[in-house]
Amino acid sequence: GCQVYDFGDLNFTQVPNDELYNNLILYPRSVGLASQVLADAVSRAVAAGHSCVTIGGDHSLALGSVSGHARQCPHLGVIWVDAHADINTPLTTQSGNLHGQPLSFLLRELQDKVPQLPGFSWLKPCLSASDIVYIGFNDFFFKFYFNSYILKNYDIQYFSMRDIDRLGIQKVMERTFEQLMGRRQRPIHLSFDIDAFDPSLAPATGTPVLGGLTYREGMYITEEIHNTGMLSAVDMVEVNPLLGASQEEVNATASLAVDVIATCFGQTREGAHTAFDELPTPSSPDESDSKEQVRI
């Protein structure tokens, strides 16, 4: 029921001799260039009046999608649904993977903590700490990674899986909207990592974590975001068919991603129904009473 304009796949160039930054950060020039291409594409889509859906690889793509969105909507709010916080800096990361770092580049408060990576000169921080709400990350990763210090020290709102268990998903969404839209209406950017779901639902992904979102919790999140009428852009990331142990696992993960996106734009679990202004009433019986008497 949606009008869809397909901007097509984006083609990225692998930068030759893309050496490690600081002997640790992987492919900085390639990721930086790809993010710039994506930012331009998202900016064009939003400027044309579209709600932009970016379906991608890993979560480093948010560098481009959020930056491009913010060019057109500088006051946007971000809902980040993920099993991981993805806010390590290039100086705190243990893996060197940029998909664990995108928000550190986007936050103004961390500008003096993030070095200038080769390929990233175009990127300017576009979010404040109060513009972000996390939903769904796992307490294990919160406790044992540098993410926890950043989130607490910079007063970033988050709801871990333990918080969802304690409060319930309805209260979590109420507090999310109070944080982002309590004072004003603003465009919403939903960045959704499929690994936020429990691995039993989304096994074909790179960093699954036990105890993730249920199907009902995930759909409730997107239903409520749709109901605000303020959704402006969506990222769907980390669906990786190469990591499914079987075709069934691949299909289940992809189908779940489709449900997330469709629900963002109005698909309901109740299904589609014909709208009635009032109940129909009988006009005339098929047989008159006299005819019915004769038949009997």
Side-chain angles (χ1 to χ4, degrees):
C2 296
Q3 290 184 331
V4 178
Y5 184 89
D6 187 355
F7 281 79
D9 294 339
L10 296 179
N11 296 311
F12 304 122
T13 302
Q14 183 76 28
V15 177
N17 303 315
D18 194 358
E19 298 176 356
L20 297 175
Y21 173 82
N22 200 27
N23 292 318
L24 180 61
I25 307 302
L26 298 161
Y27 309 116
R29 297 162 189 84
S30 298
V31 174
L33 178 60
S35 298
Q36 186 176 16
V37 172
L38 177 57
D40 292 341
V42 170
S43 179
R44 288 194 301 270
V46 175
H50 300 292
S51 298
C52 184
V53 180
T54 303
I55 302 173
D58 67 47
H59 222 157
S60 66
L61 70 77
L63 291 162
S65 65
V66 175
S67 295
H69 192 186
R71 290 180 196 171
Q72 304 298 327
C73 305
H75 304 299
L76 61 83
V78 174
I79 299 176
W80 195 276
V81 182
D82 200 331
H84 316 90
D86 290 350
I87 201 170
N88 271 307
T89 76
L91 303 181
T92 66
T93 179
Q94 296 178 340
S95 69
N97 292 316
L98 281 163
H99 62 73
Q101 305 171 51
L103 276 168
S104 69
F105 290 90
L106 298 171
L107 269 185
R108 297 185 184 96
E109 288 87 343
L110 292 177
Q111 192 167 10
D112 62 340
K113 307 297 182 184
V114 176
Q116 184 68 63
L117 267 61
F120 280 68
S121 60
W122 64 274
L123 181 61
K124 307 300 179 188
C126 57
L127 299 173
S128 297
S130 60
D131 297 329
I132 303 169
V133 176
Y134 282 101
I135 299 175
F137 67 76
N138 187 287
D139 275 355
F140 176 86
F141 288 90
F142 177 68
K143 291 174 182 174
F144 292 96
Y145 282 75
F146 208 85
N147 293 323
S148 61
Y149 172 83
I150 296 175
L151 266 62
K152 289 182 176 179
N153 199 56
Y154 292 92
D155 197 25
I156 298 173
Q157 180 69 69
Y158 64 87
F159 297 99
S160 68
M161 286 310 304
R162 186 174 186 277
D163 293 322
I164 293 173
D165 290 340
R166 180 171 57 88
L167 297 170
I169 195 63
Q170 177 184 357
K171 183 63 68 176
V172 164
M173 295 312 296
E174 288 175 358
R175 294 189 181 182
T176 295
F177 296 136
E178 182 180 343
Q179 166 76 21
L180 294 180
M181 298 192 294
R183 298 183 183 90
R184 58 177 174 173
Q185 294 289 89
R186 66 200 308 202
I188 293 175
H189 186 113
L190 172 62
S191 202
F192 203 118
D193 190 322
I194 201 72
D195 72 21
F197 282 105
D198 191 80
S200 61
L201 299 172
T205 190
T207 49
V209 183
L210 288 174
L213 295 171
T214 65
Y215 181 86
R216 291 188 300 175
E217 289 166 341
M219 295 305 106
Y220 188 84
I221 290 169
T222 48
E223 286 168 347
E224 289 300 289
I225 292 172
H226 168 74
N227 289 340
T228 67
M230 298 305 296
L231 182 63
S232 182
V234 181
D235 306 326
M236 170 49 65
V237 305
E238 297 285 358
V239 176
N240 191 338
L242 298 178
L243 297 178
S246 65
Q247 190 61 45
E248 288 73 20
E249 288 193 357
V250 172
N251 293 345
T253 308
S255 295
L256 183 58
V258 170
D259 283 352
V260 169
I261 296 170
T263 306
C264 284
F265 294 97
Q267 176 176 287
T268 65
R269 285 176 281 174
E270 292 87 353
H273 303 286
T274 303
F276 287 102
D277 294 325
E278 58 181 331
L279 287 174
T281 56
S283 53
S284 60
D286 292 334
E287 298 178 285
S288 67
D289 288 342
S290 59
K291 289 182 178 179
E292 177 67 7
Q293 291 294 331
V294 169
R295 189 181 69 82
I296 290 173

